[in-house]
Amino acid sequence: AEVREGVRVTAVGSFAGGMRVLRTSAGDLSARRVIGAAGATSRVSKTLRAERGGPAPTLAAATEVFTQAGADDPAPGAMRYDFSLGSAQRGGTPGYAWDFPCLLKDGRGLNRGVYSPRPRALAATMPRELDAFLHARRAPLAEAPQSWPERLYDERRPLSAPGVFLAGEAIGVNAVTGEGIAPAIESALFAARWTADSLADGEGPGEWAAFTHAFRRSILGRRLSFGSRLARLLYGTRGRFYRELGLRDRRFQELLLEDFCGDVDIPQWKRWLVARLAMNWMRQVARDIRAAT
């Protein structure tokens, strides 16, 4: 492989004669196949949407920072997820915050951050939420915070076109957690296999249309699709209600963390999850009735 650093893709030409022409800052490149793996704002994915249609991408936001140890830190080796983000005041930003242990140059520290799938203003809302979160920890910063957009997975969007496959965060992240690294690695392997198969097809671009359908049916595709539906519950207009139901159920939390770590095929548990939420909802109704009487 030839690696070219510092080269920016400015346009992606149409598929003709079995090739795609890429306009770049270093001149034109011709390619039999293009894998768009340039993240949430990928120009390749914009080209694909212009050719194949589909809804506009939904962007989320994340902001993180490395800090020294502070007050009220989790135990060494433990990760903490805080779903109270945005619930303290009406109209708050839905999402969650985290404290993850890490090693800094001068010893133990933490990676702290906030994620929201529905930020009203990416530039202003997330840093403000992070400031409030850090203030409660009273932890000295080890470096400046970093913010970035994230593209949420949407099963209605095409992921391929003649001569083009998407991979990485160009496909989208898990809408519940904002996790993109593991899906990026898995989708890269998926795209690599399809690229190899399509290049072996002497009749042209190969089964490019089937790439999107096969990805949707894959374990990763089903996990991302289920995450999109679950996020609508947890972060929707009644999200606080559903989050509080889930946070009372330890097994519910464990299953979501196992999904975060890639240890389970969570779509196989969707009926169980819905049943647990329904059971917790009925228990809450019973508690409210007893309190009222």
Side-chain angles (χ1 to χ4, degrees), residues 14-260:
S14 58
F15 188 79
M19 305 289 282
R20 288 268 181 175
V21 175
L22 302 180
R23 310 287 183 188
T24 81
S25 57
D28 292 352
L29 295 174
S30 295
R32 290 186 293 164
R33 299 293 179 268
V34 175
I35 298 178
T41 57
S42 166
R43 183 171 296 277
V44 176
S45 62
K46 293 177 182 177
T47 300
L48 193 150
R49 179 170 175 258
E51 292 183 6
R52 311 308 306 170
T58 301
L59 293 181
T63 299
E64 71 173 6
V65 67
F66 291 94
T67 80
Q68 304 292 338
D72 189 31
D73 283 342
M79 297 185 296
R80 178 164 53 194
Y81 297 81
D82 184 351
F83 282 90
S84 65
L85 179 68
S87 61
Q89 57 183 351
R90 185 176 179 84
T93 302
Y96 75 94
W98 69 80
D99 293 295
F100 291 174
C102 64
L103 290 177
L104 303 176
K105 292 180 180 179
D106 53 354
R108 177 177 174 266
L110 285 99
N111 172 273
R112 309 180 198 266
V114 291
Y115 162 77
S116 175
R118 292 196 303 112
R120 290 185 301 275
L122 299 183
T125 303
M126 300 307 292
R128 187 169 63 246
E129 297 284 5
L130 180 63
D131 286 345
F133 184 65
L134 294 176
H135 179 73
R137 301 307 190 260
R138 297 194 298 277
L141 299 186
E143 60 181 46
Q146 294 185 334
S147 301
W148 64 89
E150 292 190 316
R151 179 190 295 258
L152 300 184
Y153 178 77
D154 188 335
E155 60 186 6
R156 300 170 298 170
R157 284 206 329 269
L159 305 176
S160 54
V164 173
F165 302 131
L166 294 185
E169 291 200 16
I171 283 179
V173 303
N174 186 312
V176 174
T177 63
E179 162 62 13
I181 296 176
I185 295 171
E186 293 181 59
S187 66
L189 294 172
F190 194 90
R193 286 194 296 268
W194 276 84
T195 299
D197 290 345
S198 72
L199 289 172
D201 183 353
E203 297 182 358
E207 295 292 329
W208 65 267
F211 176 89
T212 295
H213 301 299
F215 186 86
R216 289 171 179 165
R217 294 193 302 269
S218 69
I219 292 176
L220 176 59
R222 290 187 291 116
R223 286 175 58 198
L224 292 174
S225 293
F226 181 73
S228 297
R229 293 190 289 272
L230 186 60
R232 287 195 285 270
L233 280 181
L234 297 178
Y235 302 128
T237 55
R238 300 197 65 193
R240 182 178 180 183
F241 172 77
Y242 288 110
R243 291 197 300 274
E244 289 178 351
L245 288 182
L247 291 175
R248 293 195 189 100
D249 191 324
R250 183 174 180 83
R251 181 54 188 147
F252 184 92
Q253 299 169 47
E254 289 174 348
L255 195 61
L256 291 184
L257 289 176
E258 289 171 10
D259 172 62
F260 182 87

Side-chain angles (χ1 to χ4, degrees), residues 4-8 25-26:
R4 301 190 183 185
E5 297 182 343
V7 177
R8 181 170 57 90
S25 57

